[in-house]
Amino acid sequence: MDAEVFRAWIVSSARTIEASRDHLTQLDAAIGDADHGINLARGFAAVLGAQEFGKASSPGAVLTVTGSTLISKVGGASGPLYGVAFRRAGKALGDDADPGLHALSAALDAALAGVQQLGAAREGDKTMVDALAPATRAFSKAVAEGASRDGALAALAEAAEAGAAATISMQALKGRASYLGPRSVGHEDPGAASTALILAALRDAARAAS
Amino acid sequence: MKKLINNPDTVVTDALAGLAAAHPSLAVDAENKVILRAGGPRPGKVGLVSGGGSGHEPLHGGFVGYGMLDAACPGEVFTSPVPDQMLLATKAVNGGAGVLHIVKNYTGDVLNFQMAAELAEDEGIDVVPVVINDDVAVEDSLYTAGRRGTGATVFAEKIAGALAEEGADLAAVAAVAREVNERSRSFGVALSPCTIPAAGKPTFELADTEVELGIGIHGEPGRTRAPMAPASELAAVALDAIGADLPVDGDLLVMVNGMGGTPLIELYALFSEVSQYVRARGGRITRSLVGNYITSLEMQGFSVTVCRLSGALARLWDAPVETPALRWGR
């Protein structure tokens, strides 16, 4: 997967976040402060508008500039958390012009580690980690079992979606939803939902390129 | 949704332009969203920077000026500002004695200020963050993001600002901000939700007969919902919650704060209830603030913040201040 595929992923993420802007914001209104879709849409729009984004010549550079722009433009908790995720993944890919599945798996692990280090969230806390962690596990398992690129990315996206859905029954232990205590149960976590959308966009961008 | 705005996307910058036009004592960088004192940093004085989502006005921009903040970084509505803003503000106010970051305890604010502090330290500026977490409605436990920062932020900014103005060093200014936080507790009640301009819809639904107890300042729902009750009962709910965590006796600084959509007549009626409650428990309100100081857009409701004063803290509270929203003694 070359820089163009990664760029297409981010463009497609921006599109899906914009299309889901109101849905994500409604999820956030239920248990947070009703701005998740608005902020992420604003951040991804800024990424697409950044000069360095169009010029980035390697997959790692595409992801690093995406992360830096999200940190600069989004604010809230999701700006630093998504920003760190993309930057760590970008740094893990380095200068590799066409990283393979093992390199991508390591990059996804680095993204997860960055998010957990910054946000101190564990699985089960009802955060984006509940989508990202099972997704990276499913991806590395599929890669280890010799799955095709499309097959491994399908496993990634499916696990993220299932992980996001599983947050509905959880009580939030981190982030603003934790203020609600037991009242946070019964609602999907907006960060987990947006993570599932972004990882589905990766699957679709790779598929469209093949 | 009816709001006095031009466009939901430009409401923050439009308001900053207005702040600049109304207050020549401020230097407002509307493009980078930083509010500074005009005239730049005073050499040798510790700089005070705060910031947070917009929609809480006058917090924080209205508290920039002599005796209080040196800079404020407003984010989008209810969204923490970004590290770029905070770094710009930190560099602009550094007079060589270091910079205090006053941070309300919300995950986003804490993460963004943490990144900004690292960037500022890379540039050789001493930064000490003080996190404000006074809201007793949230249990401070492993099972939450910790208590929220609310009304005590106003007290910390005023008192730490006064000490910085006297020339104290960064460690002392940070210590007094922490002391104010430790001696203060808050509790909020909403009678109505509020509407974020870009969302266009109220943040939660509340029946005419209900109140939301234990709200924060971002239009988020509280811990419980209860039937609407008279001011005396609502004041008691707030003070019972505060009193369970901090004795409300001795000399007290008390703020009855409006959430943005509550008339002063109601806030004063509440203050009367608060003062009777406190007096009955051996407390003396020797300093007070009644009005809209840390708001949640047009939300109807109030918060009560109690700070147990020492002689030193009372003296710093009384020290001269000259900002758009607080001014006395000068």
Side-chain angles (χ1 to χ4, degrees):
Chain A
M1 283 166 49
D2 63 9
E4 287 318 314
V5 178
F6 279 84
R7 219 184 320 270
W9 169 28
I10 302 304
V11 170
S12 157
S13 296
R15 202 172 293 141
T16 185
I17 293 292
E18 178 60 38
S20 309
R21 191 182 117 119
D22 292 346
H23 173 63
L24 292 171
T25 296
Q26 275 161 22
L27 291 179
D28 197 22
I31 56 172
D33 59 350
D35 63 5
H36 188 59
I38 297 164
N39 287 341
L40 266 195
R42 186 162 45 75
F44 273 99
V47 171
L48 301 196
Q51 277 191 349
E52 299 82 0
F53 178 73
K55 286 193 228 151
S57 57
S58 67
V62 168
L63 299 188
T64 304
V65 68
T66 298
S68 300
T69 309
L70 292 176
I71 289 173
S72 292
K73 299 293 178 197
V74 177
S78 52
L81 290 168
Y82 272 117
V84 161
F86 279 107
R87 277 175 58 90
R88 291 286 177 89
K91 290 205 167 130
L93 293 178
D95 297 334
D96 196 340
D98 194 1
L101 292 182
H102 285 98
L104 186 54
S105 182
L108 288 164
D109 289 345
L112 174 64
V115 168
Q116 292 197 281
Q117 191 189 343
L118 187 62
R122 287 175 297 201
E123 281 185 81
D125 286 355
K126 196 178 182 105
T127 71
M128 64 189 286
V129 169
D130 291 307
L132 190 53
T136 57
R137 266 201 307 275
F139 187 75
S140 69
K141 180 163 175 277
V143 171
E145 288 169 356
S148 67
R149 185 182 80 184
D150 285 357
L153 287 172
L156 172 88
E158 262 169 45
E161 203 180 320
T167 63
I168 294 173
S169 61
M170 294 175 187
Q171 175 171 336
L173 302 183
K174 282 280 181 306
R176 211 164 267 177
S178 70
Y179 303 143
L180 290 169
R183 283 172 88 188
S184 65
V185 174
H187 303 278
E188 185 175 1
D189 178 67
S194 59
T195 296
L197 289 173
I198 290 167
L199 295 180
L202 173 58
R203 173 197 62 201
D204 298 345
R207 210 179 269 166
S210 58
Chain B
M1 175 184 73
K2 279 195 285 188
K3 282 183 182 285
L4 294 171
I5 59 177
N6 296 314
N7 175 339
D9 295 333
T10 62
V11 60
V12 174
T13 41
D14 289 352
L16 285 177
L19 193 70
H23 301 288
S25 62
L26 301 178
V28 179
D29 179 345
E31 192 194 334
N32 294 305
K33 296 201 192 119
V34 174
I35 301 160
L36 301 161
R37 297 191 199 180
R42 204 174 83 209
K45 186 185 103 61
V46 169
L48 269 71
V49 175
S50 193
S54 292
H56 309 304
E57 291 71 22
L59 191 88
H60 297 273
F63 299 132
V64 174
Y66 182 87
M68 220 162 160
L69 296 177
D70 293 278
C73 309
E76 294 295 320
V77 173
F78 292 172
T79 300
S80 93
V82 295
D84 293 9
Q85 287 167 269
M86 299 163 180
L87 179 63
L88 193 78
T90 302
K91 284 156 75 172
V93 308
N94 180 36
V99 177
L100 180 73
H101 284 176
I102 297 180
V103 185
K104 301 193 296 304
N105 190 32
Y106 297 94
T107 307
D109 293 62
V110 171
L111 293 184
N112 284 283
F113 266 106
Q114 189 182 324
M115 300 205 138
E118 284 176 22
L119 295 171
E121 271 155 22
D122 287 350
E123 304 203 14
I125 303 173
D126 281 342
V127 173
V128 175
V130 170
V131 176
I132 306 295
N133 61 345
D134 56 309
D135 178 10
V136 296
V138 175
E139 269 180 71
D140 188 15
S141 73
L142 286 174
Y143 305 106
T144 66
R147 288 195 315 231
R148 297 172 287 216
T150 57
T153 314
V154 178
F155 296 172
E157 290 177 359
K158 166 67 185 82
I159 287 172
L163 192 63
E165 214 66 65
E166 291 178 355
D169 66 15
L170 180 57
V173 175
V176 85
R178 269 186 222 109
E179 186 187 359
V180 170
N181 181 53
E182 280 156 18
R183 287 169 169 269
S184 301
R185 298 290 187 277
S186 297
F187 190 89
V189 176
L191 277 53
S192 75
C194 56
T195 298
I196 298 171
K201 281 184 289 200
T203 50
F204 57 87
E205 306 271 326
L206 197 57
D208 264 358
T209 53
E210 289 178 322
V211 291
E212 189 83 21
L213 300 177
I215 51 142
I217 54 172
H218 297 92
E220 67 267 55
R223 279 227 109 143
T224 52
R225 202 158 274 196
M228 182 59 197
S232 58
E233 288 176 31
L234 293 177
V237 166
L239 287 162
D240 285 349
I242 290 169
D245 208 56
L246 180 90
V248 290
D249 56 8
D251 287 357
L252 304 173
L253 161 61
V254 174
M255 174 168 71
V256 168
N257 169 64
M259 301 309 295
T262 306
L264 274 175
I265 187 172
E266 295 177 25
L267 296 180
Y268 275 108
L270 264 162
F271 191 81
S272 165
E273 300 299 336
V274 168
S275 67
Q276 288 172 53
Y277 179 107
V278 167
R279 201 179 312 132
R281 282 156 187 80
R284 284 194 310 153
I285 302 180
T286 61
R287 307 286 188 282
S288 63
L289 214 48
V290 180
N292 294 290
Y293 294 101
I294 171 167
T295 59
S296 204
L297 295 171
E298 77 282 22
M299 177 182 273
Q300 272 183 287
F302 71 97
S303 62
V304 180
T305 304
V306 175
C307 175
R308 290 168 64 90
L309 287 172
S310 66
L313 293 184
R315 186 185 68 75
L316 291 166
W317 179 257
D318 292 341
V321 60
E322 191 169 1
T323 70
L326 272 194
R327 53 177 69 208
W328 57 70
R330 195 161 185 252

